Amino acid sequence: LLVIEPERVWQLIDGHNGVARNLLRLLSFRIRATNARLRRRQKLGEFYRQLSFNDGLTGLYNRAWLNDALPKLVTRARQDGGPLSLVMIDLDHFKRFNDTHGHIAGDSALCAAAGVIRAGLRPTDFAVRYGGEEMMAILPATPQQQAVMVAERLCARMREAVVFDDMRLPLPHVTGSFGVATLLPGQDERGLIEAADAALYRAKEAGRDRIGT
């Protein structure tokens, strides 16, 4: 480590242009190196932040993401004056599925259902694992009638989902019950979830594998 008094540094700079150029070159290099480290840290931090918002099994957004994002989506819908719909999804008789086929097959069924939901949505929509066998589709700029059509499409595709890649094994069928709700005036994100959950309950009461509104 070389320590030089400030007055001596300025004397060297005033008397020798080469010293000034070398100091500037060194300073520039150190600034670039520091910026590169900061960018790497920022990218790494964003990677871990995104990782914390995704469900490890299905790859869908998780409850933490929902708690962060849904209030913002509700606020945006109010500001834009547009609709916001939510589809709550519950896999039918999932405990019985696990008991019959085992938990590994149960994980495969969750992943298959998540794939159906993800593939059936627009790039502007969001798929969330709400917890356990419950999932959710958030549909910005989507009125009730159109949201019901999305739920019907997902419900039909769910019945065709392939759970076992090994087709020599018996193919278990996965179905889901769907509850659809659209944001009402004065309703917050909690009220929207509760409305979708109530619609889901009505679908279950009506026999499952169907849409509730």
Side-chain angles (χ1 to χ4, degrees):
L1 178 64
L2 177 64
V3 179
I4 304 176
E5 294 294 331
E7 292 181 2
R8 179 58 177 161
V9 171
W10 287 115
Q11 289 174 0
L12 290 171
I13 291 173
D14 289 338
H16 304 278
N17 290 334
V19 173
R21 286 195 300 270
N22 287 337
L23 286 174
L24 287 173
R25 190 178 296 113
L26 178 61
L27 179 61
S28 175
F29 170 80
R30 290 187 174 179
I31 290 174
R32 288 198 302 271
T34 301
N35 285 340
R37 285 196 297 270
L38 289 173
R39 283 195 298 270
R40 285 196 297 271
R41 289 178 184 175
Q42 186 178 25
K43 289 180 180 178
L44 188 62
E46 181 61 22
F47 170 77
Y48 283 116
R49 179 178 177 274
Q50 291 297 327
L51 195 64
S52 71
F53 280 161
N54 286 92
D55 176 61
L57 175 64
T58 63
L60 302 184
Y61 287 117
N62 61 18
R63 192 74 168 265
W65 178 91
L66 181 71
N67 293 337
D68 179 73
L70 188 56
K72 298 174 184 176
L73 292 170
V74 169
T75 299
R76 187 184 306 166
R78 297 210 183 287
Q79 291 174 344
D80 296 342
L84 173 66
S85 292
L86 190 151
V87 182
M88 187 78 78
I89 305 151
D90 186 80
L91 299 189
D92 295 328
H93 304 297
F94 191 69
K95 183 180 183 304
R96 187 164 63 194
F97 185 100
N98 271 337
D99 291 343
T100 302
H101 301 285
H103 289 282
I104 293 178
D107 287 349
S108 297
L110 287 171
C111 291
V116 168
I117 297 167
R118 189 188 297 109
L121 300 181
R122 303 166 300 184
T124 53
D125 299 329
F126 305 94
V128 182
R129 185 180 181 190
Y130 190 61
E133 67 271 24
E134 283 193 317
M135 301 180 192
M136 184 184 293
I138 304 174
L139 313 175
T142 306
Q144 175 89 1
Q145 185 177 2
Q146 187 176 342
V148 170
M149 293 173 61
V150 171
E152 289 173 344
R153 181 173 68 246
L154 294 177
C155 186
R157 292 182 180 180
M158 194 79 75
R159 300 185 196 108
E160 302 171 356
V162 176
V163 177
F164 294 155
D165 291 331
D166 188 347
M167 298 306 294
R168 293 172 298 179
L169 296 172
L171 181 65
H173 294 285
V174 179
T175 63
S177 298
F178 295 73
V180 180
T182 301
L183 187 67
L184 299 174
Q187 195 176 51
D188 61 9
E189 62 277 0
R190 180 176 296 180
L192 178 61
I193 292 175
E194 289 174 351
D197 197 48
L200 173 62
Y201 179 79
R202 289 191 287 272
K204 290 181 178 181
E205 286 290 292
R208 302 177 188 262
D209 190 22
R210 65 193 65 222
I211 316 302
T213 58

